[in-house]
Amino acid sequence: MEPMDTRRLQYLYELARMGSMRAVADVLGTTTSTVSQQIAQLSKETGARLLEPDGRGVRLTPAGRRLAEHAQSILGAVDAAKLDLDPEAAPSGTLRVAGFATAIRTTLMPIFEELALAHPAVRIVVLEHEPAEALARLAVDEIDLALTYDYNLAPDDAGPGVETLQLWSTPWGLGVPTTDAAQLATGGGAPDAPAVLAAFRDRDWIGNSRNVADESVLRLLSSMAGFTPAMRHQADSLDLVEDLILAGLGVGLLPENRPGRDGITILPLQNPDLRLRAFARTRKGRGAWPALALVLEKIRQGRQHG
């Protein structure tokens, strides 16, 4: 069977609906010869006899009738796809988003209610994933939008074919038990980042269970202080990181703007400073799809007003 040109299905569908090639030619603005040729080529492509003589005209064979029934669904799907991909069309369809929890909460959640009220034809499916997982799904077209992050000291290359919108950045520090934070209090100003880490060189350290970026940053800064951190624990939940710190099981990275918790102090990391950077990433050329373009525009507006 040869590849089938779906455009020829229109001729077969109209013949099933109109009953004669002359009527099809009139509807489609062509000639009966063209209609006959197109259906003959479709018969060749499918390997099935689609027409049979009927007096001075023709009629569809059983195979032709079955294909005409499929043609109605196929042509409808093609029209729907064209409308869905038309940049001028009203946003509709299911937008698949994968990202880390903080970005989902701060970037997506604020626009959900507005989208539901103003654009009910747009549905959003949310999947929580770390950056590498989200980018892997984006690469194989399993999602439409990836919300990812990296650190300025451990930049993440999203790879070719990806368009990036930077969302926000926030400073991160080292979370330690408050009882231990006093050892860094000096009269000479805040110590630099390597010195902060060096003060806890003999402690166990907490990394991320699904992203190597935290560990990469900790190893970079500790190498500047002349030691290698003992990466003992892994957790992708910041609440769990705090629980481990409070239990005296280790120290780890936390955002400086995280709500305070008794018993934990977040020590600033400066010179070099450490910042987490959040991004919205899409496959190149997909941003014109109305549903995705709408969400990206809402994200931009939120970034400007945030």
Side-chain angles (χ1 to χ4, degrees):
M1 181 183 295
E2 298 182 13
M4 183 171 58
D5 187 339
T6 57
R7 293 173 298 179
R8 296 192 173 100
L9 291 173
Q10 185 73 47
Y11 293 89
L12 185 69
Y13 170 69
E14 295 296 348
L15 181 58
R17 189 170 69 90
M18 305 295 295
S20 75
M21 289 194 180
R22 169 53 60 191
V24 173
D26 291 342
V27 167
L28 298 182
T30 186
T31 65
T32 55
S33 176
T34 297
V35 175
S36 178
Q37 291 171 3
Q38 292 296 314
I39 295 179
Q41 185 60 35
L42 183 62
S43 180
K44 181 180 178 181
E45 291 171 349
T46 60
R49 187 182 178 200
L50 302 177
L51 300 179
E52 60 186 6
D54 182 25
R56 300 182 63 180
V58 295
R59 65 185 177 189
L60 271 61
T61 64
R65 290 194 298 272
R66 291 198 303 273
L67 184 57
E69 292 173 358
H70 287 299
Q72 184 175 13
S73 299
I74 294 170
L75 293 170
V78 171
D79 289 342
K82 289 179 179 178
L83 180 62
D84 193 33
L85 297 176
D86 181 1
E88 302 301 321
S92 65
T94 300
L95 179 71
R96 304 159 299 172
V97 183
F100 65 109
T102 301
I104 291 172
R105 291 193 188 104
T106 61
T107 301
L108 276 188
M109 297 298 288
I111 67 176
F112 278 171
E113 183 176 359
E114 180 183 354
L115 289 175
L117 293 175
H119 302 278
V122 176
R123 295 180 61 251
I124 297 182
V125 173
V126 175
L127 308 169
E128 184 183 354
H129 284 295
E130 287 292 308
E133 299 164 346
L135 288 173
R137 300 195 69 164
L138 185 69
V140 296
D141 206 24
E142 291 182 349
I143 60 170
D144 307 297
L145 173 62
L147 301 178
T148 71
Y149 70 87
D150 69 6
Y151 293 107
N152 61 319
L153 299 182
D156 173 36
D157 181 10
V162 175
E163 296 180 343
T164 297
L165 169 66
Q166 184 160 349
L167 301 177
W168 40 263
S169 68
T170 186
W172 274 51
L174 184 65
V176 304
T178 299
T179 53
D180 296 333
Q183 63 183 293
L184 288 177
T186 65
D192 60 23
V196 171
L197 267 66
F200 300 90
R201 64 192 306 155
D202 296 328
R203 301 295 181 87
D204 289 335
W205 293 75
I206 308 164
N208 190 307
S209 62
R210 294 157 56 200
N211 189 347
V212 299
D214 290 53
E215 183 173 337
S216 297
V217 167
L218 290 172
R219 291 190 181 279
L220 172 65
L221 293 174
S222 63
S223 69
M224 298 170 66
F227 76 99
T228 300
M231 303 301 304
R232 193 73 62 197
H233 311 288
Q234 294 183 335
D236 68 337
S237 162
L238 295 181
D239 288 336
L240 180 54
V241 172
E242 290 183 342
D243 290 342
L244 293 171
I245 293 172
L246 286 173
L249 297 178
V251 296
L253 297 175
L254 289 170
E256 286 189 23
N257 62 356
R258 188 164 172 81
R261 187 168 172 182
D262 289 343
I264 293 179
T265 295
I266 300 176
L267 302 171
L269 296 177
Q270 305 170 1
N271 191 31
D273 67 326
L274 175 63
R275 299 189 69 87
L276 179 144
R277 307 178 299 185
F279 308 98
R281 284 171 163 154
T282 59
R283 287 166 64 98
K284 191 171 183 179
R286 299 295 180 88
W289 175 40
L292 179 56
L294 170 67
V295 170
L296 289 174
E297 180 57 28
K298 295 299 180 185
I299 288 174
R300 290 188 184 95
Q301 293 174 2
R303 182 187 61 175
Q304 293 169 357
H305 299 151

